[in-house]
């Protein structure tokens, strides 16, 4: 996001701005998507295309104000703001991927390609992550495979995942960021 958006986010999280929705929509719409040149040189072309398509999908369809509003909500309730980010992003990523791939099997293949390496790495390191990150990673893995990560051992995370699992496909298929925000806030 822009420097102006970052300044607004900081003011909102610190209480200097009380309603993030009073800030212009365009402040929270990315205008530039950057990508590491070294990644372009070393990653498979299919993965690069998938990543770029995914990020373009966020730029077009994600409402970053809702993400920030959720961060503030978590913070006000005594949680780390990243606890909201881990869960919301894990639901938003599949939603964006579904919107971007739509009816195109080619686009779906490009996006799926980027998750193959992710899946291998995640299976190996999930146990080293904080609980909300483990839950978020498991949500994405569920979207990708229809199953939980086989190496997930945290019983609390497994329990919470089973409680929210019935809502996930609905959230992944949603065209409405505001409704997803309410569901995450009130039910997840």
């Amino acid at each position: 996001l822009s420097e102006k958006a970052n300044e607004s986010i900081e003011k909102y999280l610190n209480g200097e701005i009380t309603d993030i929705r009073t800030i212009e929509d365009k402040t929270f719409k990315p205008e530039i998507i950057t990508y590491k040149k070294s990644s372009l040189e070393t990653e498979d072309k299919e993965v690069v295309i998938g990543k770029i398509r995914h990020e373009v999908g966020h730029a077009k369809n994600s409402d970053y104000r809702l993400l920030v509003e959720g961060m503030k909500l978590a913070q006000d309730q005594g949680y780390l703001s990243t606890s909201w980010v881990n869960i919301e992003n894990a639901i938003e990523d599949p939603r964006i991927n579904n919107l971007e791939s739509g009816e195109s099997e080619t686009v779906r293949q490009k996006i799926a390609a980027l998750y193959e390496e992710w899946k291998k790495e995640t299976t190996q390191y999930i146990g080293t992550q904080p609980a909300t990150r483990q839950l978020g990673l498991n949500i994405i893995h569920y979207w990708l495979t229809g199953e939980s990560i086989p190496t997930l051992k945290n019983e609390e995370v497994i329990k919470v995942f089973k409680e929210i699992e019935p809502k996930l496909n609905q959230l992944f298929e949603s065209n409405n960021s505001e409704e997803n925000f309410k569901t995450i806030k009130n039910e997840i």
Side-chain angles (χ1 to χ4, degrees):
L1 297 175
S2 69
E3 193 59 39
K4 182 178 179 183
N6 291 335
E7 290 171 12
S8 298
I9 291 167
E10 188 69 29
K11 288 179 180 178
Y12 177 67
L13 293 175
N14 290 328
E16 295 173 52
I17 297 174
T18 57
D19 185 358
I20 199 159
R21 294 171 190 243
T22 61
I23 300 168
E24 288 183 275
D25 289 347
K26 69 179 185 173
T27 303
F28 293 95
K29 281 291 182 192
E31 295 178 2
I32 298 172
I33 296 173
T34 59
Y35 202 84
K36 290 183 197 174
K37 184 177 181 181
S38 61
S39 294
L40 292 171
E41 295 167 351
T42 59
E43 290 181 337
D44 181 75
K45 182 176 92 171
E46 299 298 306
V47 171
V48 173
I49 292 169
K51 284 182 179 180
I52 292 171
R53 189 69 188 248
H54 172 83
E55 295 306 331
V56 166
H58 276 300
K60 291 186 324 191
N61 299 299
S62 290
D63 187 340
Y64 289 95
R65 285 183 307 178
L66 295 173
L67 175 67
V68 176
E69 192 171 330
M71 291 169 63
K72 177 80 165 122
L73 176 68
Q75 181 180 297
D76 290 349
Q77 293 176 349
Y79 299 103
L80 293 173
S81 58
T82 54
S83 63
W84 179 275
V85 173
N86 286 331
I87 305 308
E88 192 274 346
N89 188 62
I91 292 168
E92 185 70 355
D93 277 358
R95 185 181 87 82
I96 292 304
N97 293 338
N98 288 341
L99 287 171
E100 278 302 291
S101 60
E103 301 293 321
S104 173
E105 186 55 34
T106 302
V107 173
R108 184 170 296 283
Q109 288 171 358
K110 305 265 189 258
I111 290 174
L114 78 97
Y115 282 97
E116 285 309 310
E117 190 64 30
W118 174 92
K119 188 168 58 172
K120 291 178 205 166
E121 293 171 4
T122 301
T123 300
Q124 293 173 356
Y125 75 78
I126 189 156
T128 66
Q129 300 300 300
T132 56
R133 178 111 169 100
Q134 287 184 37
L135 180 60
L137 293 169
N138 199 54
I139 289 169
I140 293 171
H141 190 276
Y142 172 77
W143 166 77
L144 184 63
T145 67
E147 301 172 351
S148 285
I149 297 173
T151 54
L152 177 63
K153 303 294 182 215
N154 185 318
E155 292 298 325
E156 183 180 0
V157 171
I158 292 168
K159 179 181 177 265
V160 171
F161 177 78
K162 286 179 180 177
E163 289 174 7
I164 67 172
E165 185 179 1
K167 293 273 180 210
L168 292 177
N169 287 321
Q170 168 193 340
L171 294 165
F172 296 160
E173 297 299 326
S174 174
N175 289 328
N176 189 317
S177 296
E178 185 73 38
E179 287 301 316
N180 272 15
F181 174 80
K182 288 176 186 174
T183 301
I184 296 167
K185 178 181 168 186
N186 297 325
E187 300 179 43
I188 294 179

